[in-house]
Amino acid sequence: MTVPKEMAEKCLQMLLPWRGGWTLRNKDPRQEEERHVKANDRDYNGKFLYADNRIKTSKYHIVTFLPINLFEQFQRVANAYFLFLLILQLIPQISSLSWFTTIVPLVLVLTITAVKDAMDDFFRHKSDNHVNNRQSQVLIDGKLHNEKWMNVRVGDIIKLENNQFVAADLLLLSSSEPYGLCYIETAELDGETNLKVRQALTVTSELGGDISKMAAFDGEVVCEPPNNRLDRFTGTLLWKDEKHSLANDKMLLRGCVLRNTEWCFGMVIFAGPQTKLMQNSGKTTFKRTSIDRLMNTLVLWIFGFLTCMGIILAIGNSIWEYRVGDDFRIYLAWNEVLDHAVFSGFLTFWSYIIILNTVVPISLYVSVEVIRLGHSYFINWDRRMYCSQRDTPAEARTTTLNEELGQIEYIFSDKTGTLTQNIMAFNKCSINGKTYGDIYDEHGCKIEVTERTPSVDFSFNPLSDKKFKFYDHSLVEAIKLGDSSVHEFFRLLSLCHTIMAEEKNEVRNPKGQIKLYSKGADTILFDMLHPSDEDLMYTTSDHLSEFAGEGLRTLALAYKDLEEEYFEEWFKKHHFASTTLDNREDSLAALYEEIEQDMKLLGATAIEDKLQEGVAETIACLTLANIKVWVLTGDKQETAMNIGYSCNMLRDDMNEVFTISGNTVLEVQQQLRNAKERVLGSYRDVGNGHTNSEKLEMSKNDSVVEETFTGEYALIINGHSLAHALEADLERVFLDIACMCKTVICCRVTPLQKAQVVELVKKYKNAVTLAIGDGANDVSMIKTAHIGVGISGQEGMQAVLASDFSFAQFRLLQRLLLVHGRWSYFRMCNFLCYFFYKNFAFTLVHFWFGFFCGFSAQTVYDQWFITLFNIVYTSLPVLAMGLFDQDVNEQSSLEHPRLYEPGQLNVLFNKHKFFICTAQGVYTSIVLFFIPYAVFLDTVRDDGSHISDHQSFAVTIATSLVIVVSVQIGLDTSYWTAVNHLYIWGSVAIYFSILFAMYSNGIFDLFPNQFPFIGTARNALSQKSVWLVILLTTVVCVMPVVALRFLRVDLYPRLTEKVRYMQQASKKQRPLEHNLKRVRRTSSRRSAYAFAHQEGYGELITSGKNMKVTNPFSSLPAVRIQSSTSWIENLLKKRADAPNNTSTDRTLKQQPSL
């Protein structure tokens, strides 16, 4: 008996409903070559087993939650490791610890994670049910029926009404608006709230709202298979023996909302999981911090160290058993005698692996995630990063990268919308070789435009924009006189725009002519011009250079008269190319290139895009923090250079500005090598004196070595030269010279080239990178960098949706890095150092005890103390330090950008620091064990009885440990809050409360087998000698640390200590208010951003004079722009030389502040 194929496929679809589109022949929907959909024909479409419209974003079911979630959690190496230890503890022959010492923290961690996952999935289920049960009007059997979204099928015709969500990916058939237009909001797709226009085909728009005509519609759509391209759709409609081209402007995608349109009809093309919205809901690339990568290495080292300790103790057990073990069997009887000493050592090895496993506790990973989550909320809650103009707060879109914000060395920034406001204002133009926009006096001299300059009166035009200001009256006069070139110029600007033109039978001007209008970059458009326009092209090119030199954005304009016969022939080719599914885009591009030849040049526009507030100050401050800012823009070279001067990235006092503009590989290679040789000069061996040892060692094997020079250089490279520079044989040379320059500006670059530049730095430099942008063209760069920052600007939300952090203005990047980033790095490093210290001190006591207990794997501490040490006694203090500690306050962090450098050099937590903190832990463990051990050998109680029982010894060491680590975290804490006091001293109080409770009569009565040692804590801690031992142990553990830190701060103070000292000193005296003297920056370059930012202070700073600030502790004061870091270094040196001099303090307070 054979089963029909169709029946088998339907059975599989019922069993596997989430595998929409699965067939026996084609198992993966992504392998579908093309899709065939027939309107109003469920039987025909059902043969393809397309997915229905039900979505399922949840991961679990109530029955499958526990096994699947546990399986996922135990895929993490740490959880699997602790499960392995738990299994070992269940083996009586090797376990000297009860199973609950491991299972309690493990279950706690698994439970917390499971609850979090369950809550997340519950909301997913809730969201899925809400969406799947939405109502939609579906045309079935000639009538409209209300159906749930989950019951909608491919090929159905749906009626949408205003403000309704689009249920599936629909082909727009008709609408209530003229010409089949409708308006949609795509916020759920790309975050943009501005309305988009969609237009139905003329043949389907004639169906209107007639239900009978819609029911009779039997068109078939042949289109591309399901994919995640939101901006592209390729297909054809076959109806009434005609083929009609379908593109993205005919589609309504699921997740959109119908706006300003009474109704529309659409045909379902993709449904449910195959819609473009759901196809884009995949996981983003997981980014890991450098500390994460270092932690993985350190944990492996610790596991190796743990294994070595286990081997040493196992060998000791074998030797001890072989030599003297038999003598102790009367005292410590064995249930089963092991005659083989080696096997005894083997069992002891696993026993010590269990006992010493707390050197890497599971609570470490939980604490790290809690701290990162807290840091993310601090960014979200920061009111000073809130932009009131746009009602946009800062947002940490990831919780795993916060500390890396404190290690940034390279920033790659877009220009338009990131450094500038992306608000365009018509400023100047060139029409038929004549410029308009400048005003001149009677002598022909150009007059500078000021607020008092009278603007053109547009009152004669009732449609004019009241806010628009233009000062050249000659342009208006030319319009009034009927200048044909001027009229043609503005007609092109009016038509060649993002408008939806009415469709007519003939596309002609009032004179009956067919014209082609084109607007674009001059580098592209000039290649399309007729040879007869060569002189006009050169004249216009000069005007464009002049406009770009003033920082204006330019576009060239051209047109072409088309012969009717040629256009009809070309239009037939266009229709054929637009209706084919094979290479449609390439065919259309070739046709467009064909028709856009021999065009006539009209002129060019010059648009002003003003700088955002605080851009120059922010870049100057980041430069002082030793962060290199590279600008990657698609603008012309002249525009990019002028913006560089406006932002003070380029200055007249720079040693040299290199321009790479070669057209061939050899030219680019020669220009790069010449620039490198001129930069190196006599400074080849000069270093900055602060290179981290780990980075220095890595750079020995890397030819790309960043050097610091006394001179300052800048590099400017255009897009076609960059394409050659990024080739394999030149990329290292390009990176060499780029890293030697203070400023790098890449102009005329594509989105791909932006990502390639970022990837180049990541590939060869041991540095953390950050990319910031606001548009879709910045997404690849944002995703490539270690940290991606999105600006919620005028170009929509694509960059924000792809970013790790987002805010509204570029100036907020300064606070994100210098305050939040630096604090996050500082806190995480201190947390890790302290965590490893306390756990080595806690765990290695067992190691030393092993040499005095016959290597019997006996524990020093009580089992409950081992269980509770990391999750109760010491968890809250270290969390408080990791969340709230700060070495200096936010004002000082902004006033002293060089405080940021330790993160770049990775000096607060690295392999060297790890060895130091573990060495301190080893020393503490030695003191904790041997001082009580030595004292208890000959000490007696007050009544003369012996005090050295095991439980009293354990209580003494445990109490000493809790007090020592509490005092140590107090020494490590720089910023005390009520939370720190509560957690630190509260944890000590909780320890004593639990200690006395565990050894009390009441707990013994309830659990006699678990708590057999009644009164041990009371008897031990009532002895003065025990408290003297605790005091002595604490002093011996802590005093060397205090002495070393005192000597280091006194003899070799770091900038942090100096700033903290001044911060404390400033609190003791009343802050002095100073007036800020404004001095205009002089430059040979004219800045077109004069109205967009305040005047700079370059002249004052380069003179070396001190400056006064209005309020050094205001929330966001202005930064002073300076030519180099030598000025601030001199001030810091003066401050260090005379910290007690009041007048010096006052002078030093005048250094650059933010």
Side-chain angles (χ1 to χ4, degrees), residues 643-657:
I643 291 167
Y645 280 99
S646 300
C647 298
N648 273 37
M649 298 177 65
L650 300 176
R651 296 186 312 278
D652 294 333
D653 61 349
M654 279 186 159
N655 293 66
E656 190 165 355
V657 177

Side-chain angles (χ1 to χ4, degrees), residues 122 446 488 638 752 805 937 1008 1121:
F122 169 76
K446 185 182 296 185
E488 194 75 10
E638 294 82 0
L752 178 60
F805 302 88
L937 283 176
I1121 311 303

